[in-house]
Amino acid sequence: MRRLLTFILTLIFISTVAHGAAGWPANYGGVMLQGFYWDSFEETQWINLTAQADELSKYFDLIWVPNAGNCREQGMGYKPVYWFQNYNSSFGTKAKLLEMIKTYKEKNVGILMDVVINHKSPLGQNDSWIDFVNEKFYLDGELQSITWSGADICRNDDGGDTANHGFEVTGADDTGEDFSGARDLDHTSENVQKNCKLYCQYLLKELGFAGFRLDMVKGYGGQFTKIYNEASNPEFCVGEYWDSYSKVVDWINSTGKTSAAFDFPLKWEINKAFADGDWGALNDLGSKGLSGGNYSRYSVSFIDNHDTGRELDKKLRSNVLAANAFILALPGTPCIFLKHWMAYNVSIGNMILARKAAGVTNQSPIIEQGQQPGGYAVKVQGSKGTVLCISGYVENYNTSGFTLISSGQNYAYFVSNNVTVEGLNTTDEDPGETIFGDACNIYVVADEAPYLYAWNDEYELNGTWPGTQMTETEVVDGQEFYKATIKSDGPYNIIFSNGKGDQTADITGLEGDNYFTYNGSTGYAVYGEEIPTKTVIYVEAAQAPYLYAWDGSGTLNGEWPGTKMTETITAHGKTWWVKEFDVTPINIIFNDGNGNQTEDIKGVTGYNYFTYDGSTGFTTSINTVSLDSRLSTLDPTKSMYNLAGQRVSNTYKGIVIQNGKKYIIK
């Protein structure tokens, strides 16, 4: 009888360990928040996150925070120095960290820490590449210690550069991709494995984290994640593996399914669909993303994160809220980026509540999916009801039997009528301020309502190309303008078009409100100026440069390298080489005739002033319109135009002296 009891208890123990080490719970209905973005030190201090616990706990079950250990440079924590002894970071003290974890745990919200074990930084500076700090700490009431040596560092670290600098690194070759920013740990080393196991256990048992977000897991074999997770038994673990569907699945399998993975394969398809309007990219979700198929349990879906959100070629540039609605309908565990939450907390919050009320989990079945005329539709069956998300503008889709929860540009989110959603926020608008900044108005005089395409360094601001037709009008000082309002934090850029293929050149570097005239084709001007019918190039250079010019019809100034500029003019106290063209807009390149050239300078129209260094460098002095013509009509103390000819109100740009008078250019 005693043996039988022992056997049963052993089975229970094995079952518990196996379930706990599964990496991500089965049929999990939680939603995760990435509680930071790059350099969000002030916004996401531990005390600030703690202060938001009542609000965030209404919607989120997990919050992913940065690496909390002290790192070599006070920053984001991706070059860690301390694993145990020092938890004073750019985000706050250890005491504030523990207070935050405790506060959320009391509200049944788990905190995941960004765990960086692919690489490590030395205690010293650049002359001590491998000087890792040895640490002592308590774990389960017992004093523990870890030590390091060159045998724990991959011998081919930094492509062999570490060894070439005279540092004795004797570990095995790296089992993954190299990281040049710090020393790559040799995970085949028994000492490294011992230290990593203790580290993971310490985070869970002593600090109270609910699990891990593993940084750069492509840097070491997935089998080591299995070793560490089986030793520490986290309920939640998700790895950052940037790659294709098959390779991410292979990594999950290599961990023994002890870890989930961020759904990077789905993220790239989302970019195609929501930024480029390629709704077919979402077809066959099961073969393109983890969330749509057999690996949905191990999928943590997302739109952007701290890395992709600051890389223009990777971030989602438009329809951000629509894309969030899409992942909030799918199986998997959605992870909401903090910037998106701050911009759209009302709409995202309501959709999270609806998702949970319908009982959608990370393993809920997709019962209908596919491209529709004008968009895409997906239905997911939860344990209590059905969620329907329509992306794009789908005509005549049957939504009978469903209640609309949230809608906006390029999306509508529904739950089946049998679902009651408690706690919905009825506020009309999301703030949108963190991403998009203050509202700016574009005014334009045109015979017919033009299309406006607007963007800044981070986002499309008025829809995907060709933007949105300007239908609103407003009378200003007796003149009727077409008007569009956009939100932009800092300089933004626009293009006017007729929606039929004719468009202006890029109008860049705008701030605040701006006034234009548009001729319905390719020509535009700042309101009050004549639309240019020619292009004049002024360039200041030590030697006469070659000018190569072309437009959509071909070359305008001879075949490459163009023609050497010979005519000069004196203006604004300087001598300029000058060339006039009877067409506009055009594209130009300055070069020295011997192979050194500037980059393409596109969309040049009207009067343009440049400086050229005689090699590859150039700068723009004055754009768009002649400074002489502008200054002749302006009050010397109340200029309403900046150096790009844009009408602004409160942006000081400098002082220009013309004919002995000072002109304030705002």
Side-chain angles (χ1 to χ4, degrees):
M1 181 69 179
R2 188 172 181 179
R3 287 184 180 179
L4 178 61
L5 180 60
T6 302
F7 177 70
I8 292 172
L9 290 174
T10 301
L11 286 179
I12 292 173
F13 174 75
I14 293 173
S15 174
T16 302
V17 171
H19 173 74
W24 212 268
N27 298 307
Y28 181 63
V31 178
M32 185 165 132
L33 173 71
Q34 180 176 1
F36 66 100
Y37 51 90
W38 198 265
D39 289 345
S40 63
F41 307 122
E42 294 185 9
E43 193 75 52
T44 60
Q45 288 280 307
W46 306 141
I47 56 173
N48 292 346
L49 289 175
T50 303
Q52 299 176 62
D54 287 342
E55 177 68 14
L56 294 180
S57 62
K58 295 177 185 177
Y59 307 100
F60 297 103
D61 307 272
L62 296 169
I63 299 178
W64 158 28
V65 300
N67 188 291
N70 185 269
C71 58
R72 186 162 144 192
E73 64 265 349
Q74 285 300 297
M76 293 301 299
Y78 290 101
K79 295 182 181 180
V81 173
Y82 286 94
W83 283 7
F84 300 95
Q85 292 180 177
N86 190 336
Y87 274 84
N88 295 322
S89 73
S90 299
F91 297 92
T93 64
K94 181 178 180 180
K96 296 302 181 183
L97 170 68
L98 295 177
E99 180 184 354
M100 178 191 70
I101 294 171
K102 179 177 180 290
T103 299
Y104 278 99
K105 184 175 290 188
E106 290 172 350
K107 297 180 180 296
N108 297 314
V109 177
I111 305 295
L112 308 188
M113 194 188 84
D114 215 323
V115 176
V116 186
I117 54 176
N118 171 69
H119 52 268
K120 204 170 187 300
S121 286
L123 179 63
Q125 299 301 315
N126 290 335
D127 58 349
S128 303
W129 285 21
I130 67 172
D131 181 23
F132 293 168
V133 61
N134 298 325
E135 299 182 74
K136 293 183 178 181
F137 55 95
Y138 281 93
L139 180 62
D140 288 334
E142 294 186 8
L143 183 63
Q144 305 275 357
S145 65
I146 63 167
T147 60
W148 299 96
S149 73
D152 298 322
I153 300 171
C154 297
R155 63 185 170 208
N156 60 342
D157 180 58
D158 285 10
D161 198 34
T162 304
N164 293 338
H165 275 73
F167 297 103
E168 188 175 353
V169 289
T170 59
D173 283 342
D174 205 329
T175 57
E177 293 185 1
D178 185 64
F179 177 73
S180 61
R183 305 289 70 76
D184 282 26
L185 297 179
D186 171 22
H187 286 267
T188 68
S189 160
E190 290 185 6
N191 187 55
V192 170
Q193 291 181 21
K194 182 203 79 170
N195 293 350
C196 288
K197 291 175 186 177
L198 290 171
Y199 183 31
C200 292
Q201 293 168 2
Y202 183 84
L203 293 174
L204 298 174
K205 294 181 178 181
E206 299 298 321
L207 299 186
F209 285 104
F212 318 132
R213 181 270 187 183
L214 300 178
D215 178 68
M216 198 181 170
V217 294
K218 290 181 77 171
Y220 54 100
Q223 68 271 26
F224 301 109
T225 294
K226 181 177 187 292
I227 291 172
Y228 306 144
N229 280 349
E230 288 180 344
S232 59
N233 197 29
E235 186 175 9
F236 301 97
C237 179
V238 55
E240 177 210 24
Y241 199 95
W242 287 46
D243 219 309
S244 64
Y245 172 79
S246 62
K247 290 185 178 180
V248 175
V249 167
D250 287 345
W251 180 81
I252 293 172
N253 290 336
S254 74
T255 73
K257 295 185 178 178
T258 64
S259 179
F262 283 102
D263 203 341
F264 278 94
L266 180 63
K267 188 266 191 293
W268 308 134
E269 302 304 323
I270 285 173
N271 277 13
K272 295 176 189 175
F274 288 89
D276 303 331
D278 179 11
W279 299 111
L282 301 179
N283 287 337
D284 303 318
L285 282 174
S287 63
K288 293 181 177 179
L290 306 175
S291 298
N294 295 330
Y295 279 78
S296 64
R297 171 178 173 178
Y298 303 102
S299 168
V300 177
S301 55
F302 69 106
I303 303 305
D304 272 310
N305 62 28
H306 61 293
D307 284 323
T308 66
R310 61 193 179 107
E311 298 187 40
L312 297 182
D313 62 334
K314 296 180 177 64
K315 73 188 303 178
L316 182 63
R317 306 184 307 276
S318 61
N319 297 313
V320 168
L321 181 54
N324 277 280
F326 179 68
I327 65 169
L328 284 169
L330 294 182
T333 301
C335 180
I336 306 300
F337 186 34
L338 180 61
K339 280 196 171 186
H340 297 171
W341 171 253
M342 295 170 73
Y344 302 117
N345 59 73
V346 173
S347 299
I348 290 176
N350 285 344
M351 289 186 283
I352 291 174
L353 293 177
R355 172 190 175 90
K356 292 182 176 182
V360 173
T361 74
N362 59 354
Q363 292 182 284
S364 293
I366 297 175
I367 58 176
E368 181 183 319
Q369 61 174 308
Q371 187 176 4
Q372 305 285 333
Y376 189 90
V378 62
K379 286 181 182 176
V380 176
Q381 183 62 56
S383 61
K384 301 174 184 177
T386 306
V387 165
L388 164 65
C389 183
I390 299 175
S391 304
Y393 292 99
V394 177
E395 297 182 5
N396 302 320
Y397 190 88
N398 184 7
T399 60
S400 60
F402 285 87
T403 301
L404 180 65
I405 297 297
S406 182
S407 64
Q409 182 173 315
N410 275 305
Y411 85 97
Y413 192 95
F414 303 81
V415 291
S416 52
N417 288 343
N418 66 307
V419 175
T420 300
V421 185
E422 302 287 350
L424 290 173
N425 191 329
T426 58
T427 303
D428 291 335
E429 286 188 27
D430 287 291
E433 294 176 356
T434 301
I435 290 182
F436 299 111
D438 296 331
C440 305
N441 296 307
I442 308 296
Y443 299 88
V444 59
V445 174
D447 291 336
E448 296 182 359
Y451 284 78
L452 175 70
Y453 178 68
W455 75 101
N456 60 19
D457 287 344
E458 295 190 89
Y459 293 94
E460 291 176 310
L461 303 173
N462 202 39
T464 56
W465 177 258
T468 304
Q469 192 169 28
M470 301 175 71
T471 56
E472 182 182 354
T473 61
E474 182 175 327
V475 176
V476 180
D477 295 335
Q479 173 65 54
E480 184 176 46
F481 292 86
Y482 288 102
K483 175 187 176 182
T485 300
I486 61 173
K487 289 183 177 180
S488 177
D489 187 10
Y492 61 94
N493 319 295
I494 64 171
I495 294 173
F496 296 114
S497 72
N498 57 15
K500 302 174 183 178
D502 296 318
Q503 66 179 71
T504 66
D506 295 0
I507 308 170
T508 61
L510 304 179
E511 295 184 8
D513 295 351
N514 289 269
Y515 295 74
F516 296 93
T517 304
Y518 173 54
N519 70 357
S521 180
T522 62
Y524 78 95
V526 174
Y527 178 68
E529 302 283 346
E530 293 184 4
I531 295 178
T533 58
K534 62 182 179 181
T535 306
V536 183
I537 306 298
Y538 297 91
V539 58
E540 181 187 11
Q543 303 292 331
Y546 282 76
L547 178 66
Y548 178 68
W550 76 99
D551 66 1
S553 301
T555 59
L556 302 171
N557 201 35
E559 296 300 324
W560 180 261
T563 303
K564 194 172 186 178
M565 301 178 74
T566 58
E567 185 179 352
T568 61
I569 187 172
T570 300
H572 319 305
K574 298 180 179 180
T575 298
W576 308 80
W577 305 96
V578 62
K579 178 65 179 177
E580 183 174 314
F581 297 90
D582 291 330
V583 294
T584 193
I586 66 171
N587 314 298
I588 63 171
I589 294 173
F590 297 113
N591 68 91
D592 64 358
N594 294 313
N596 295 310
Q597 66 177 73
T598 67
E599 62 187 43
D600 295 359
I601 308 169
K602 294 184 176 181
V604 181
T605 186
Y607 294 84
N608 294 265
Y609 292 72
F610 300 93
T611 59
Y612 173 54
D613 68 0
S615 180
T616 61
F618 78 97
T619 59
T620 303
S621 296
I622 305 168
N623 276 333
T624 307
V625 293
S626 164
L627 183 62
D628 291 319
S629 66
R630 196 176 333 137
L631 295 180
S632 66
T633 61
L634 298 181
D635 184 316
T637 62
K638 297 181 180 179
S639 171
M640 292 295 290
Y641 295 86
N642 64 20
L643 291 182
Q646 303 145 7
R647 181 173 177 176
V648 295
S649 55
N650 295 312
T651 306
Y652 177 81
K653 294 291 183 180
I655 297 175
V656 173
I657 299 178
Q658 175 73 3
N659 298 326
K661 296 181 180 180
K662 283 186 178 181
Y663 290 86
I664 300 174
I665 306 298
K666 293 184 177 179

